[in-house]
Amino acid sequence: MRLSDLKPGETGIIVKILGHGAFRKRVMEMGFVKGRQITLVLNAPLQDPIKFHLMDYEVSLRKSEANMIEIEPITEFDKEIEEKINVEPIEKESQKANKAKTINIALVGNPNCGKTSLFNIVSGAHEHVGNYAGVTVGAKEGKMKYKGYEFNVVDLPGTYSLSAYSPEELYVMRYLREETPDVIVNVVVASNIERNLFLTTELIDMNRSMVIALNMFDELEKHHIKLEYDVLGKMLGVPIVPTIAATGWGIDKLLDTIIEVYELQNPDTRHIHIRMRPEIEDSLRLLVDSLKKEKDLPQRFSPRFLAIKFLEKDPETQTMLRDYPRYNEWEGIRGSLNSRLEKELGEDASAIISAEKFGFIQGALAETMVSQGDKDDNSTKIIDAFVTNKLFGFPIFILIMWLMFWATFQIGTYPMEWIESLISWISNLLGEHMHDGPFKDLLLDGIIGGVGSVIVFLPNILILYTFISFMEDSGYMARVAFIMDKLMHRMGLHGKSFIPMVMGFGCNVPAIMSTRIIESHSSRLITILINPFISCSARIPIYVLLAGAFFPHYGAWIFVGLYLLGIIVAIFTARLMRKFWFKTDETPFVMELPPYRMPTAKATLRNMWAKADQYIKKMGGLILVASIIIWALSYFPRYNENDIPEDFVVTAIAELPPEILEDIDGERLEEMVLKEYQESHSILSYVGKFVQPVMEPLDFGWKACCSLLAGCAAKEVVVSTLGVLYVGDDDAELLSVRLRTPSKITGKAPFSQASALGFLVFVLLYFPCVATITAIVKETGTWRWGLFSVLYNTSLAWGLAWITYRIALLF
């Protein structure tokens, strides 16, 4: 019987994992080992993937992958548990080593175990925290001083094991090999300790100084579980400190224990060997003895750890050992063992080692952990009954997204108007009291016109991030990936690809970096290249500006339409790439579904402040510099009345509407003509007019072209450029008013409703900002994909913007 044959609510016992490679290794690391009980919880709305309950946590698999796991009904299986614990104390130095007062610490743990929360408390940093795997996409470093010691703390990406089957696993393994931290803090989730301790066993094999932070300890009480963590720590040879990183409880005790371990004074610290069946131990002994004969072998990993990884055919370990003269001898030992195991037990060394380690963990927990009641989290089951339901799942997701956009546009309008009024008041005040001249023009038109045009959208940005933060922190984001996997799979993508896509609503750069959670190279690359089509928060000021100016009653629908168009274009591009470039995707869909947690007000406010701080710094840095440059290019060279050719004056006056000529005096007319000549013959105008012929079919003027070019620095610069070029022009006070007000010289408004729609579509799709292009190049490892993103995205943007403009003209 296969796991996919189970029906919701039915339970089976795992007999064998079929298949090979990354899938087999990944599921065994997550607890899919022989003798393990597993229950099918529910199917996704489209009946694929499937959610299972295993070892007190929930995990999802696609049906095709569940079909590769053999099970037997629970009533037909007689499960035997054998405890295999062999503790070997190590001798301590009689005197404390004379070491420096700096302690290098590495935080290692499963995804979503609370490492980053712990890092934030210890280091005082404000890194993003989310209730789903893959939030930490690289090493983050922080420092703190405590009791005369300086702690250098590094938060490493979450990993289920020390293998090389995914980028984050490889990153962690290489970091531990090359950096050799003084103390490893293994962060373990208290409510899911059995699965988390698999990584702990691998760290024990490494024989490094270590402390276990038993995080979310309050959830044990919530689930009515009593754990004798002191006894468990003695059995593991690693001191265990309970913590609650969200509140800071237990952190001082953790820091004290780190110092004790560093100074070799902790009584629980000892080296253990996790004894496995004789066939494995005999081969390990042969490999360890042979490895020890190599004098040049790096000592940063213990020989036993290298031997175990070599038996498991870990690619990184094989690469490390391949150049040594005894490599063929080691391969012979491994081949002989695997042949015997396959013949006698029908399993290879990797499967047996995983099963043995989980047997060790289960035996240790059987002696130290007691359940005192129902430990099921009914709230998670109740919520999942709706949000992953085939009838309600998609409507709930669409409703949440629409609510997010509606609140961003409608609720954000009120504080936006307050800020806008304040900036207008400051501008008028300075205008009345300052003498005319270049400095006044720079301050009013360049700095206030440019930066002020962008900073008014800060409330909209914060509202958007509040929604995204809630979805991430609550655990809903993982459910979105779960319900979307089948659709994503049909598009040629991975279910996990949806998480970077949703993260892209905030910023494309961290979203592209978060694709490291995707094991498949092809799926990861496709996800990176389609992510710029997802509307980031930097585009929100442009959307709010033009939607508010031309479609004030349909702002939320404009938002939804733009976001949906971006997703549709991303899907189209993914299908195109999967069909012509990357035709196969071998990656399984295995993803942990964390329990729901109510985000704390502190965490939400911290995330909001972090984004506000980031936005304000951007205003005072990149946007300010860009606004000054744009102003200077549009301000110089300076002209006077004598520099204006006669034919330009005649043409300008002839184009004026009759009603304007009747109401304007000669002096005012000269000022208007001079300003028009100044703008149309500035340095910036020549740049815009060079590009304008290409954009002429979209009805974009040269000023709009300049703003699009300036958007390569950051998309907010599009608004600041429009602010510099239009604010103060004629008598209009607000940029949104000016964009729809006809010029008194040309009689034409900068945008019509049709060209505004085309402009919005173009901004959505055209080339990414410099930071995003840099992220693409860095994550793909070649500049070619960065260039591809610039050319392909811009071509597609032009075509769809033209179609939008022509259709809009019909209505």
Side-chain angles (χ1 to χ4, degrees), residues 377-508:
D377 188 354
N378 292 324
S379 61
T380 293
K381 293 181 179 179
I382 293 171
I383 297 173
D384 272 349
F386 290 94
V387 300
T388 61
N389 185 276
K390 63 181 179 180
L391 295 178
F392 305 121
F394 288 107
I396 288 174
F397 172 66
I398 294 171
L399 177 63
I400 290 174
M401 299 306 291
W402 183 89
L403 181 63
M404 179 174 72
F405 299 138
W406 177 86
T408 300
F409 184 80
Q410 295 293 343
I411 298 177
T413 298
Y414 300 104
M416 185 185 77
E417 290 177 350
W418 301 336
I419 299 174
E420 204 170 43
S421 299
L422 176 62
I423 291 174
S424 179
W425 177 79
I426 293 172
S427 181
N428 291 333
L429 182 66
L430 293 175
E432 292 173 2
H433 293 85
M434 290 185 68
H435 296 291
D436 291 340
F439 181 72
K440 178 181 178 180
D441 295 338
L442 169 63
L443 187 61
L444 297 183
D445 299 338
I447 297 176
I448 296 179
V451 176
S453 300
V454 179
I455 202 168
V456 297
F457 301 105
L458 176 60
N460 308 86
I461 302 292
L462 295 182
I463 292 172
L464 177 76
Y465 270 107
T466 299
F467 275 87
I468 294 177
S469 177
F470 182 84
M471 288 193 294
E472 292 175 343
D473 295 348
S474 64
Y476 179 66
M477 191 76 80
R479 269 67 182 184
V480 173
F482 173 73
I483 66 175
M484 292 295 294
D485 176 67
K486 190 164 187 176
L487 285 178
M488 300 295 286
H489 197 50
R490 288 176 179 174
M491 300 167 196
L493 290 172
H494 195 278
K496 288 183 180 179
S497 298
F498 199 73
I499 291 179
M501 290 174 71
V502 175
M503 286 182 69
F505 291 156
C507 180
N508 294 140

Side-chain angles (χ1 to χ4, degrees), residues 192-210:
N192 191 11
I193 189 171
E194 186 174 0
R195 210 281 315 287
N196 279 240
L197 285 179
F198 181 84
L199 176 60
T200 307
T201 63
E202 296 203 309
L203 293 170
I204 289 172
D205 291 334
M206 292 178 66
N207 191 20
R208 297 282 186 85
S209 297
M210 184 166 63

Side-chain angles (χ1 to χ4, degrees), residues 118-296:
L118 185 62
F119 175 79
N120 285 338
I121 290 179
V122 172
S123 66
H126 301 284
E127 297 295 342
H128 176 58
V129 179
N131 186 18
Y132 63 96
V135 178
T136 303
V137 292
K140 298 180 176 69
E141 299 183 11
K143 296 178 181 291
M144 75 165 296
K145 291 185 178 180
Y146 181 80
K147 294 187 176 180
Y149 290 84
E150 182 174 323
F151 290 176
N152 294 328
V153 187
V154 177
D155 178 22
L156 296 174
T159 177
Y160 291 106
S161 72
L162 299 177
S163 301
Y165 290 98
S166 66
E168 68 271 14
E169 290 177 344
L170 186 58
Y171 186 96
V172 173
M173 188 174 181
R174 287 179 176 174
Y175 180 90
L176 295 178
R177 180 185 70 198
E178 296 168 5
E179 300 299 329
T180 58
D182 298 316
V183 179
I184 295 173
V185 176
N186 178 208
V187 185
V188 172
V189 178
S191 60
N192 191 11
I193 189 171
E194 186 174 0
R195 210 281 315 287
N196 279 240
L197 285 179
F198 181 84
L199 176 60
T200 307
T201 63
E202 296 203 309
L203 293 170
I204 289 172
D205 291 334
M206 292 178 66
N207 191 20
R208 297 282 186 85
S209 297
M210 184 166 63
V211 177
I212 294 176
L214 192 61
N215 198 30
M216 305 181 196
F217 190 71
D218 53 329
E219 293 195 2
L220 287 182
E221 294 183 0
K222 179 182 175 182
H223 294 152
H224 308 289
I225 297 173
K226 181 180 180 182
L227 176 66
E228 297 178 1
Y229 57 86
D230 288 334
V231 177
L232 179 61
K234 288 181 173 62
M235 297 172 72
L236 296 175
V238 181
I240 297 178
V241 181
T243 61
I244 306 175
T247 63
W249 181 85
I251 301 301
D252 288 344
K253 175 63 176 174
L254 176 64
L255 298 178
D256 291 337
T257 306
I258 290 172
I259 294 173
E260 289 179 0
V261 171
Y262 177 74
E263 298 288 5
L264 303 177
Q265 292 182 330
N266 187 273
D268 294 339
T269 300
R270 57 181 67 226
H271 177 52
I272 73 168
H273 281 174
I274 301 169
R275 291 296 182 187
M276 291 175 269
R277 62 175 60 216
E279 297 91 338
I280 299 290
E281 287 295 334
D282 291 344
S283 296
L284 281 177
R285 193 174 299 110
L286 289 174
L287 276 175
V288 169
D289 291 342
S290 183
L291 286 168
K292 288 180 177 179
K293 293 177 182 177
E294 286 291 345
K295 302 296 184 182
D296 297 330

